[in-house]
Amino acid sequence: MLRIVCLSLVTLLSVGALLPFAGSSAHGLRQSFSAERQHNYRRHSRAWWRRHHARLRMRRQAAALAHSKSTWAPINPLPSVAGASASLASTKLPVGWSTVGGTSSEMKFRTDIGNGNLAGQAALAVVAQSRPNPAYLTAREESRLLAGVAIGDLRRIVIDKMMSGGGWIINDFSRDVAGHKVFVVIAQTPTDGREPEKAWNFYFTEVNGRVYSLTTNTPPQFSARMAAEAESLITSLQSNR
């Protein structure tokens, strides 16, 4: 009986002595597991990365807005086309093109194919003043700008033109002409009893700190020729920078 009591006391004392160590070990394990979870969350959690990228986008948008308010040149009033660039006076017009007047903000041309037959019309205007692109833009964001002007705003010019004329946009893209970026929009208007069906090309490019638009329209059978002549005019503009 005495032996049983002694063994029970020894067991009880052993368990009591081990409890603090067990509690300390468990606490240490909990801290280690918590730190590991936090560490993995910061490195691998999709939710954390989504919030992180959202914060970066908000900062970038706020910086872009501040840049826009501080550096965007007023669109109205714009300088006249004739006074916007001295190089326009020496710009070589394509064969068959001739000026037919216009306004202070737009130069108009007619294009002949010989024998007095009119192939189409064109107009050159200044639509915006350029500005430097922010240095923090990604390649994708930079591709949506032309000389600091949002390509979406340039496309809106064409959309408004087509809506007023009952036409529609066929395609738009950016390409290199004479070593410079040009945004091109292709559109079409139907015949309406007074005017025949026409193919429209809109070209936007930057020359000497200003964004120009060159608008051409012609019957569809002359659209390829008109496009080549329009790019020839843009090349001449760029060469006289």
Side-chain angles (χ1 to χ4, degrees), residues 194-215:
R194 296 175 300 173
E195 294 286 341
E197 179 183 13
K198 290 184 179 180
W200 292 74
N201 281 9
F202 298 81
Y203 302 87
F204 299 92
T205 188
E206 183 271 334
V207 180
N208 294 332
R210 295 174 175 86
V211 178
Y212 286 81
S213 73
L214 175 62
T215 304

Side-chain angles (χ1 to χ4, degrees), residues 145-156:
L145 297 175
L146 175 65
V149 180
I151 283 181
D153 292 339
L154 302 178
R155 186 186 291 109
R156 172 57 60 183

Side-chain angles (χ1 to χ4, degrees), residues 21-34:
F21 295 101
S24 177
S25 299
H27 181 68
L29 287 173
R30 284 196 301 270
Q31 286 185 334
S32 177
F33 181 69
S34 177

Side-chain angles (χ1 to χ4, degrees), residues 69-102:
K69 290 181 177 179
S70 62
T71 62
W72 178 253
I75 293 182
N76 292 311
L78 283 171
S80 66
V81 174
S85 174
S87 63
L88 287 176
S90 57
T91 298
K92 182 180 179 181
L93 295 179
V95 176
W97 285 44
S98 58
T99 57
V100 290

Side-chain angles (χ1 to χ4, degrees), residues 13-201:
L13 290 173
S14 299
V15 173
L18 290 175
L19 281 176
F21 295 101
S24 177
S25 299
H27 181 68
L29 287 173
R30 284 196 301 270
Q31 286 185 334
S32 177
F33 181 69
S34 177
E36 184 178 356
R37 283 187 62 190
Q38 186 177 11
H39 181 71
N40 289 338
Y41 174 76
R42 289 180 179 175
R43 282 185 174 272
H44 304 293
S45 171
R46 294 182 180 179
W48 186 89
W49 281 113
R50 283 197 297 268
R51 289 194 292 269
H52 175 69
H53 289 307
R55 286 193 297 267
L56 291 180
R57 284 195 299 270
M58 290 177 64
R59 291 173 185 172
R60 187 180 297 116
Q61 290 170 358
L65 180 61
H67 174 82
S68 174
K69 290 181 177 179
S70 62
T71 62
W72 178 253
I75 293 182
N76 292 311
L78 283 171
S80 66
V81 174
S85 174
S87 63
L88 287 176
S90 57
T91 298
K92 182 180 179 181
L93 295 179
V95 176
W97 285 44
S98 58
T99 57
V100 290
T103 65
S104 61
S105 60
E106 184 180 58
M107 294 177 64
K108 293 185 177 181
F109 310 91
R110 60 177 292 165
T111 63
D112 296 320
I113 58 174
N115 299 323
N117 294 320
L118 181 64
Q121 299 172 326
L124 181 68
V126 179
V127 294
Q129 298 187 28
S130 63
R131 57 172 179 166
N133 289 340
Y136 49 77
L137 290 181
T138 64
R140 182 179 181 183
E141 291 169 334
E142 188 173 356
S143 68
R144 297 174 179 174
L145 297 175
L146 175 65
V149 180
I151 283 181
D153 292 339
L154 302 178
R155 186 186 291 109
R156 172 57 60 183
I157 295 175
V158 181
I159 292 174
D160 292 343
K161 178 77 172 179
M162 289 298 99
M163 289 183 65
S164 64
W168 58 89
I169 292 177
I170 298 175
N171 193 15
D172 63 75
F173 52 88
S174 295
R175 60 172 303 177
D176 183 275
V177 177
H180 297 275
K181 181 178 179 180
V182 178
F183 177 58
V184 185
V185 183
I186 301 174
Q188 188 171 345
T189 51
T191 180
D192 60 1
R194 296 175 300 173
E195 294 286 341
E197 179 183 13
K198 290 184 179 180
W200 292 74
N201 281 9

